[in-house]
Amino acid sequence: MRVIRCGGKTMAQGGISQVTNKEGSLFESTMERFDYAAQRLNLDPGLYRLLRCPNREITVYIPVMMDDGRLEVFIGYRVQHNIARGPCKGGIRYSPDVTLDEIKALAAWMTWKCAVVNIPFGGAKGGVICDPSKMSMSELERLTRRYTAELLDFIGPERDVPAPDLNTNEQVMAWIMDTYSMHARHTVNAAVTGKPVGLGGSRGRKEATGRGLTIIAKEAMQRFNLKLADSQVVIQGYGNVGSTTARLMHDEGCRIIAVSDIEGGIFNPDGIDIAKLDEHVSKHKSVTAYPDARAVGNEELLEIPCEILIPAATENQITTKNAGNIRTRILLEGANGPTSAGADPILEQKGVFVVPDILANAGGVTVSYFEWVQDRYGYFWREKDVNERLEEVMCNAFKDVYHYSQIHRESMRIASYMLAVDRVAYYTKIRGIYA
Ligand code: GLU
């Protein structure tokens, strides 16, 4: 273990600003965990101040000609949190709820996530305030291309590499890659990850977050001498991450007893047939009204007794308000930031084994790294190779974090932050500060 010490001073003596937990501020919620980890590492106060701030916050105003001839202006962000260990990496989300505070938090999480799985990237995140469900494909394309054009000086294979996130997909990545390439005057497929396979995307990227979660679920269950087969699993969210995880865990023999999406949830204690559910979803665009299960609300769903609960939707789903009612053995965070900092001690007291987002859902960015590597040497791996390498990275990261949690007697959450902050701080110190 490498620890950056601050010459015997405690963090408080180092003159660090006071942090209060506001469940409302995602950035403060994540920084509260960072602060505690930094304190446990006895981090140098200067490094603490540096790592607490993003490197860059970019706001762009994106004019888009709408189909009806109106000119709309959208607000977009890209926050680059840290580049100590390599180029920035992180997704882009499209949502009416995007805020700069949220993007800052998500960018910092990317830094820690890349460090936990030990891939050579820093962290970034982007977001555009828009409602893609109310926009046509051509409006979305114009929005994406202009947003990319506004960011041209800041992104690229060596600078900052975007990827899909909430409400963005392979198509959006293809537009970003094309816009970037048109300006570069040649095809630069390493400019984004999560592209279609035929455009330099990686096999297995689409399933990677769900596959990573399944690998980590197996590792976590082993710690309790439990088997994945026949365990009861509840999944909140049925987008790419939730649905892939459901399918892969179902294949492992798990009983997926409840799932939900934005419309509501379904529950069947005997287990849901995921292939049948997927057919239902492709027809009806929602899990609700699936015939072989009863309806449950999203709140009730989180409180169903189970072995593994996977929040795979959005932030702040488990808070001080409902943490006391969670009845799972393992909480596996598929989403980024599904648990507020205030909920952590409540879950710990209840004996819930929390596998934090920055470890649990890192499969996506890990295969993004593989994609970037494949693009840069122009040789593409078989899916089998991608999946084997993913398994190796995820298992090693789980072991590292578990080991840290044992030796420091801290939760998996704090241990993963400690491991990540230690790695980033160490290399920041080695690089030194350019003046
Ligand atoms: N959006 C994903 C995440 O939050 C993937 C990011 C990436 O692949 O760069 O981890």
Side-chain angles (χ1 to χ4, degrees):
M1 182 182 81
R2 292 174 301 266
V3 176
I4 308 294
R5 307 227 166 255
C6 69
K9 275 188 190 167
T10 66
M11 296 306 298
Q13 286 166 329
I16 280 86
S17 60
Q18 290 285 313
V19 182
T20 52
N21 173 31
K22 292 172 235 131
E23 214 145 57
S25 166
L26 209 56
F27 186 68
E28 287 309 334
S29 187
T30 173
M31 281 307 155
E32 196 165 311
R33 277 96 169 226
F34 165 76
D35 284 353
Y36 182 72
Q39 207 165 343
R40 288 286 276 112
L41 290 166
N42 210 9
L43 190 71
D44 171 89
L47 280 173
Y48 168 84
R49 275 190 287 273
L50 177 67
L51 297 182
R52 209 177 190 282
C53 306
N55 190 228
R56 213 180 245 148
E57 295 173 16
I58 306 153
T59 301
V60 292
Y61 294 86
I62 313 160
V64 177
M65 207 46 103
M66 305 304 274
D67 292 346
D68 63 6
R70 253 176 328 118
L71 179 64
E72 236 358 301
V73 181
F74 295 88
I75 299 176
Y77 304 109
R78 184 78 183 167
V79 175
Q80 299 177 334
H81 177 259
N82 189 278
I83 52 165
R85 302 174 65 258
C88 285
K89 189 80 193 80
I92 291 174
R93 56 176 55 188
Y94 288 172
S95 161
D97 306 322
V98 162
T99 63
L100 182 58
D101 175 80
E102 177 197 32
I103 300 299
K104 270 170 71 177
L106 289 159
W109 274 320
M110 287 309 302
T111 301
W112 313 135
K113 197 186 292 189
C114 293
V116 166
V117 285
N118 216 355
I119 57 176
F121 287 132
K125 201 78 167 196
V128 178
I129 308 172
C130 66
D131 186 348
S133 70
K134 299 203 172 97
M135 294 170 73
S136 70
M137 279 293 269
S138 43
E139 287 169 344
L140 276 174
E141 179 173 353
R142 289 193 287 276
L143 172 83
T144 303
R145 287 189 183 277
R146 185 61 188 254
Y147 172 60
T148 308
E150 296 295 335
L151 293 178
L152 278 178
D153 292 340
F154 305 102
I155 59 174
E158 270 92 32
R159 290 183 176 160
D160 179 358
V161 187
D165 200 78
L166 208 70
N167 298 327
T168 57
N169 55 19
E170 287 188 351
Q171 176 61 78
V172 174
M173 295 308 117
W175 290 328
I176 297 175
M177 194 271 268
D178 184 69
T179 308
Y180 186 90
S181 299
M182 288 301 110
H183 285 266
R185 316 301 291 162
H186 62 102
T187 296
V188 187
N189 50 16
V192 295
T193 60
K195 306 174 286 293
V197 171
L199 290 179
S202 176
R203 291 184 178 87
R205 172 62 185 86
K206 214 168 165 185
E207 299 79 23
T209 309
R211 189 172 297 280
L213 283 162
T214 310
I215 295 164
I216 294 290
K218 221 183 278 177
E219 290 290 313
M221 291 290 273
Q222 263 172 25
R223 294 297 179 282
F224 300 105
N225 284 324
L226 295 170
K227 288 224 158 47
L228 208 49
D230 216 36
S231 58
Q232 301 180 79
V233 178
V234 171
I235 304 177
Q236 184 200 38
Y238 211 70
N240 177 38
V241 176
S243 63
T244 309
T245 310
R247 182 166 51 79
L248 294 174
M249 290 186 106
H250 188 256
D251 292 349
E252 292 284 341
C254 297
R255 244 187 309 152
I256 315 294
I257 58 170
V259 300
S260 69
D261 60 27
I262 195 141
E263 313 277 330
I266 54 167
F267 173 45
N268 180 345
D270 297 328
I272 296 165
D273 182 332
I274 297 301
K276 260 171 82 182
L277 174 65
D278 286 344
E279 255 174 56
H280 173 89
V281 172
S282 65
K283 254 192 232 148
H284 303 278
K285 307 287 166 235
S286 172
V287 300
T288 52
Y290 175 70
D292 296 332
R294 81 166 171 84
V296 279
N298 241 316
E299 273 168 41
E300 188 190 339
L301 175 124
L302 293 173
E303 299 172 8
I304 294 172
C306 57
E307 270 93 39
I308 307 174
L309 171 63
I310 308 177
T314 183
E315 300 101 36
N316 272 343
Q317 297 301 300
I318 299 166
T319 64
T320 48
K321 291 190 190 76
N322 62 353
N325 304 331
I326 302 292
R327 286 178 289 170
T328 185
R329 183 81 203 79
I330 294 168
L331 176 66
L332 190 63
E333 296 187 333
N336 291 312
T339 310
S340 74
D344 278 348
I346 304 172
L347 293 169
E348 207 173 336
Q349 210 171 23
K350 286 175 67 83
V352 175
F353 184 76
V354 177
V355 189
D357 44 9
I358 57 173
L359 167 63
N361 72 32
V365 75
T366 300
V367 177
S368 275
Y369 165 55
F370 297 160
E371 182 172 329
W372 179 79
V373 169
Q374 292 169 76
D375 288 338
R376 283 159 62 100
Y377 70 61
Y379 177 74
F380 293 87
W381 309 346
R382 294 171 303 178
E383 185 160 356
K384 181 174 164 284
D385 301 323
V386 172
N387 292 344
E388 273 172 19
R389 285 170 178 155
L390 172 65
E391 178 145 12
E392 193 184 330
V393 169
M394 296 304 290
C395 288
N396 284 342
F398 184 91
K399 284 191 191 98
D400 286 349
V401 173
Y402 190 75
H403 179 67
Y404 239 76
S405 84
Q406 298 290 301
I407 56 172
H408 293 287
R409 295 177 176 277
E410 289 290 354
S411 66
M412 290 289 279
R413 167 112 49 217
I414 294 304
S416 62
Y417 271 78
M418 286 174 72
L419 178 66
V421 171
D422 192 19
R423 280 184 179 151
V424 177
Y426 179 78
Y427 290 106
T428 303
K429 186 145 191 209
I430 298 273
R431 280 179 69 154
I433 303 299
Y434 175 72

